[in-house]
Amino acid sequence: MAEKGNTNMEHLGGVVRLREEHQKVVQDCESRIQHWKKVLADYEALDDRLRTLPDQLCYDIMVPFGPLAFMPGKLVHTNEVTVLLGDNWFAKCSAKQAQKIVKHRMKHVGSQLDDVTKIMKNFEARVGFAKDLESMSANTGNYVDIREEVGNNDSPATKGKQRIAHKPNSKPKMDVVFGLKEEDEGESGDTGSRKGVMTEEELWARLDELERLEELQDEQDRLSDNADMNGEDTSSSSSEEEEEEEEEKEADAALPVNGLSLKPSRSSVPHSTQPLTGRKEEDYEEEDGSCLPTIFFSHTVEPKKVRINTGKNTTLKFSERKEQKEHSKRKKKNGHSNGHSHHELHKITTPADIYRLFVDMKNGEPIPRKSILKSRSRENSVCSDTSESSAADFEERRMIGRSFSHDEMTHSDTSDGITEEDSPTVMPLQTPSRFEAFSGTVVEKDPMPTAVPHLTIVPPALPTILERKQEEVAPDVPLPEQAPKRVSKFKAARLQQK
Amino acid sequence: MAEAIQKKLKAEVEKYTQTQKDVSKSVSARQKLETQMAENNIVKEELDLLDSSNTVFKLIGPVLVKQDLDEAKATVAKRLEYINGEIQRYETLLKDYHKKSEQQREVLTSLQQDLQKAQGLTPGKIWLTRLQRHKSGKSGESH
């Protein structure tokens, strides 16, 4: 900031000097113009004299003798004039010829005068411009510099293709998630394995519920929408994810911190959180005296969400408030039955859940992805952990997962919720109570209004591997009720075939 | 080493100032020639206005010498050509001086940089040698 102020001062000095130089030139031009005007006046007087001189043969005049004396005398040969032509050349001419010469000279003087006037006007314009420049750099006047940064910030966050910011109630996210699975499963697509489809259905049902929740919360959020938050959050996604492992409060702090790192300069877009506004104001005050008031634009119009990179070309959207709400909701419902743990399996509440859910499907077996989470969170998650201690656990989990998926195959959605009560309940007993590192929820944003769009999308196999988490066992009561309503066309096809 | 560079720098600076003086001299000479050229042009034009009935004089010292009109015209024309030639000459001279000054400016800047490096290095060098000695001493002890 100080450096910027210094350069501004230099600019200011330079501009002042420029203006002064221009003004000097202008003054010089003015003096020259005066000179030429005088010359012109002299020639005009001379012209008059030459005109009247031959009227008389001789004139009685007082002849000057030296500087102080005069003598009476006569002026004769009034028509004979010796003209100085220039460069020590003289010519004897008649009065009329002399007049001609005088006229010719006057023409020359006039052209000189025109040139000088032109120069003066030119420099006067320059002086005016320099004055404006001076006032600009001195921050006086009403000049505001508007700058818009070309958004290269987004590229690290959204690896791969650029995505358009859809309206909240459009259907962007499913496609993205869909795309991910397609890549992973290698074109399983519509005609994927039945087993894979079955397991996905559960997941998609779960996702639908989440989406509906998100919609509700979206509307609440939109009331206090902050366009800029998302712009700041997008590029801080990965770091944000890691931070959220710690504590929810830290996430709050992380957000403004990331915002700071991203946009140290002033922004005219209002921020929601307190620390951000404080920072913005601070910046404003800081910059006021030193440089031109600058407005920085950013064209992110998405609602306040955070994109979390979950691997290949997908991002989840995270909303702090939703996370808090869901967390509080969950805590309230913790006392309820464990009957709907099925849906809990699909619920993403921690970054570890992401690794649980988004798992590569190769050769019919779920192979989890390499986790970027810290080892503490990996204890109970099913990420591709290279440590030997978790290898055995992993095997165990995979077995359970497979048995679970087998169960899913044979039951309809409605019954699944009941049968799975048993298997997951086994799990919680086995697992120790886990310290919830990330107490917030990561909700996959899917702002779609009705169930119809879901059904049309066919996700490739997205098997879930059970995770030992009994804190999140408490389900949402309405969720299983909604699930049976939705039947994807693959399930329907399968049912028909049965 | 820094002193040698400083001496070099001084010599270069002198050369540069000399070149600059030459430049300014040639510039002023050229300006004079320009005014003379303008004047002679006017004389030529005014001589054209006259006819042979007018006697033309040339001022040589305190004496006005009678001249023929045609002679006068020829003389003026010749003078004008001479002046133009002089202007051309001075222009080329000016260009040369300009180039020279640019080259010398570059040399000066490079020398200045060298000087700065040398000056910056000298205290560091001492430290470096000390450190090396210390290290070598240590290794000698350990062995």
Side-chain angles (χ1 to χ4, degrees):
Chain A
M1 276 295 119
E3 294 153 4
K4 206 175 177 184
N6 278 342
T7 49
N8 265 342
M9 292 311 294
E10 286 170 14
H11 289 318
L12 194 66
V15 168
V16 167
R17 195 159 155 255
L18 182 73
R19 191 171 58 79
E20 282 169 7
E21 289 294 317
H22 284 332
Q23 270 183 339
K24 267 191 216 166
V25 174
V26 168
Q27 281 163 5
D28 185 44
C29 284
E30 278 176 2
S31 66
R32 273 200 276 172
I33 285 173
Q34 291 299 318
H35 169 256
W36 285 119
K37 277 189 179 165
K38 191 163 153 271
V39 168
L40 200 65
D42 283 348
Y43 273 124
E44 279 182 15
L46 182 65
D47 194 45
D48 284 342
R49 176 65 69 234
L50 284 171
R51 208 164 20 89
T52 58
L53 203 58
D55 291 347
Q56 285 187 7
L57 273 173
C58 56
Y59 290 95
D60 291 320
I61 53 169
M62 293 297 278
V63 183
F65 263 47
L68 302 164
F70 290 91
M71 255 209 67
K74 275 194 173 164
L75 194 65
V76 294
H77 294 287
T78 50
N79 206 27
E80 292 168 30
V81 182
T82 310
V83 177
L84 171 68
L85 301 173
D87 195 23
N88 292 339
W89 287 99
F90 291 86
K92 233 186 188 161
C93 322
S94 71
K96 273 210 173 149
Q97 283 165 341
Q99 264 183 316
K100 265 199 254 172
I101 289 174
V102 163
K103 282 211 173 76
H104 174 257
R105 282 197 195 165
M106 270 164 60
K107 238 200 301 179
H108 178 72
V109 167
S111 66
Q112 290 281 336
L113 195 66
D114 288 341
D115 288 344
V116 176
T117 354
K118 266 192 226 168
I119 292 171
M120 201 181 85
K121 274 188 192 164
N122 204 359
F123 273 88
E124 268 177 2
R126 286 192 204 182
V127 164
F129 177 66
K131 262 190 194 161
D132 286 345
L133 199 64
E134 194 182 334
S135 67
M136 256 179 74
S137 18
N139 272 343
T140 58
N142 293 330
Y143 289 100
V144 175
D145 205 6
I146 298 175
R147 281 188 215 162
E148 182 177 331
E149 291 174 4
V150 177
N152 269 337
N153 324 336
D154 294 324
S155 43
T158 62
K159 296 180 203 166
K161 55 186 174 183
Q162 281 284 338
R163 286 192 272 164
I164 319 159
H166 294 280
K167 291 179 193 169
N169 280 326
S170 64
K171 110 182 175 172
K173 294 304 158 262
M174 287 303 251
D175 294 336
V176 176
V177 174
F178 178 60
L180 163 73
K181 272 77 178 211
E182 268 190 342
E183 284 171 29
D184 296 342
E185 315 308 329
E187 313 300 317
S188 49
D190 290 344
T191 58
S193 62
R194 278 191 197 174
K195 184 179 167 187
V197 169
M198 275 305 299
T199 55
E200 284 159 23
E201 280 169 9
E202 313 304 328
L203 182 69
W204 285 113
R206 176 80 195 109
L207 289 171
D208 295 341
E209 298 148 16
L210 288 171
E211 176 208 322
R212 227 170 286 113
L213 282 169
E214 282 237 355
E215 283 166 34
L216 291 170
Q217 281 154 2
D218 248 346
E219 287 172 19
Q220 293 171 23
D221 279 347
R222 238 172 278 128
L223 293 173
S224 59
D225 201 87
N226 296 311
D228 206 34
M229 281 306 290
N230 196 33
E232 289 181 342
D233 295 348
T234 47
S235 39
S236 64
S237 53
S238 49
S239 55
E240 186 106 6
E241 191 180 21
E242 303 219 333
E243 282 175 7
E244 277 149 16
E245 280 188 297
E246 310 297 325
E247 272 178 2
E248 199 178 311
K249 283 182 188 172
E250 268 193 87
D252 281 330
L255 207 54
V257 165
N258 285 324
L260 262 172
S261 64
L262 274 175
K263 286 234 178 104
S265 53
R266 211 182 331 169
S267 170
S268 66
V269 182
H271 301 293
S272 63
T273 56
Q274 267 302 308
L276 275 166
T277 47
R279 166 184 67 79
K280 172 195 159 195
E281 283 162 18
E282 183 194 317
D283 280 342
Y284 201 94
E285 288 161 14
E286 242 184 271
E287 295 192 47
D288 223 3
S290 54
C291 69
L292 213 56
T294 316
I295 297 170
F296 288 87
F297 276 143
S298 72
H299 274 296
T300 53
V301 197
E302 293 174 88
K304 174 189 167 189
K305 300 271 190 276
V306 169
R307 291 177 187 267
I308 297 168
N309 210 336
T310 55
K312 301 179 191 176
N313 283 342
T314 51
T315 55
L316 295 178
K317 276 192 155 177
F318 161 67
S319 165
E320 266 187 13
R321 282 197 211 152
K322 284 185 195 177
E323 162 202 321
Q324 292 172 26
K325 280 178 190 168
E326 295 220 303
H327 183 61
S328 59
K329 234 196 239 176
R330 227 160 269 118
K331 279 192 174 167
K332 267 191 247 167
K333 292 176 183 174
N334 235 342
H336 294 323
S337 66
N338 295 339
H340 305 285
S341 56
H342 151 65
H343 301 287
E344 289 306 325
L345 295 166
H346 299 284
K347 193 167 223 151
I348 302 168
T349 54
T350 70
D353 289 343
I354 298 164
Y355 286 99
R356 177 172 61 81
L357 286 177
F358 293 92
V359 163
D360 298 344
M361 189 70 167
K362 288 180 185 169
N363 303 325
E365 288 187 4
I367 297 172
R369 297 191 190 156
K370 189 178 173 189
S371 168
I372 61 166
L373 303 177
K374 296 176 185 169
S375 56
R376 182 160 59 121
S377 68
R378 279 200 216 156
E379 286 168 15
N380 297 328
S381 72
V382 197
C383 317
S384 65
D385 196 3
T386 53
S387 64
E388 289 180 356
S389 60
S390 60
D393 291 347
F394 176 56
E395 286 297 319
E396 193 182 304
R397 280 184 236 127
R398 272 179 60 207
M399 301 285 284
I400 293 160
R402 241 182 269 148
S403 67
F404 177 61
S405 57
H406 179 70
D407 284 343
E408 284 176 9
M409 263 181 70
T410 52
H411 292 92
S412 68
D413 278 355
T414 48
S415 53
D416 270 345
I418 301 163
T419 49
E420 283 152 28
E421 273 181 33
D422 303 326
S423 44
T425 46
V426 176
M427 304 290 293
L429 290 172
Q430 295 170 354
T431 63
S433 67
R434 198 161 77 82
F435 176 69
E436 188 65 50
F438 171 67
S439 54
T441 50
V442 173
V443 178
E444 196 172 273
K445 168 151 169 53
D446 210 358
M448 296 198 314
T450 59
V452 174
H454 300 299
L455 302 177
T456 55
I457 293 157
V458 184
L462 187 69
T464 60
I465 298 171
L466 284 181
E467 190 174 17
R468 316 170 199 160
K469 195 183 284 193
Q470 75 263 45
E471 283 183 277
E472 310 306 306
V473 165
D476 291 335
V477 176
L479 300 177
E481 292 171 357
Q482 292 167 358
K485 287 181 194 170
R486 291 220 198 122
V487 180
S488 76
K489 60 182 173 185
F490 299 99
K491 171 134 191 174
R494 210 176 358 92
L495 287 171
Q496 276 177 1
Q497 282 175 14
K498 277 183 184 172
Chain B
M1 187 185 161
E3 291 163 5
I5 293 175
Q6 268 182 343
K7 279 185 196 165
K8 262 196 204 173
L9 195 69
K10 274 186 195 167
E12 286 298 318
V13 164
E14 280 173 20
K15 273 197 228 166
Y16 184 67
T17 47
Q18 187 59 39
T19 318
Q20 287 291 95
K21 277 187 202 163
D22 292 338
V23 164
S24 59
K25 253 197 263 174
S26 58
V27 161
S28 62
R30 192 165 168 273
Q31 274 178 347
K32 245 199 280 175
L33 285 171
E34 291 257 4
T35 49
Q36 280 180 3
M37 196 181 77
E39 207 184 346
N40 274 292
N41 268 321
I42 291 179
V43 169
K44 190 164 162 292
E45 284 164 15
E46 287 176 358
L47 279 175
D48 291 338
L49 282 174
L50 296 172
D51 54 17
S52 50
S53 63
N54 319 90
T55 40
V56 179
F57 297 97
K58 173 125 177 136
L59 184 70
I60 301 172
V63 176
L64 264 180
V65 176
K66 215 175 185 181
Q67 294 279 342
D68 201 14
L69 183 66
D70 299 325
E71 268 183 52
K73 281 188 189 173
T75 318
V76 168
K78 267 195 218 153
R79 181 148 171 83
L80 212 58
E81 278 173 32
Y82 169 75
I83 289 171
N84 277 325
E86 285 286 293
I87 284 177
Q88 298 292 331
R89 194 170 67 90
Y90 271 102
E91 264 185 23
T92 48
L93 261 183
L94 200 67
K95 260 197 225 169
D96 290 340
Y97 283 135
H98 220 66
K99 269 192 214 166
K100 246 199 201 177
S101 71
E102 290 282 339
Q103 286 169 356
Q104 282 178 344
R105 218 181 293 166
E106 284 172 20
V107 168
L108 273 176
T109 47
S110 64
L111 271 180
Q112 273 178 347
Q113 282 175 0
D114 289 343
L115 185 70
Q116 278 178 358
K117 275 187 206 167
Q119 281 179 344
L121 203 61
T122 16
K125 254 190 184 172
I126 297 165
W127 274 110
L128 204 67
T129 49
R130 274 199 204 153
L131 195 68
Q132 282 171 355
R133 246 181 277 141
H134 180 68
K135 272 191 182 170
S136 61
K138 251 193 168 178
S139 61
E141 283 170 16
S142 63
H143 290 162

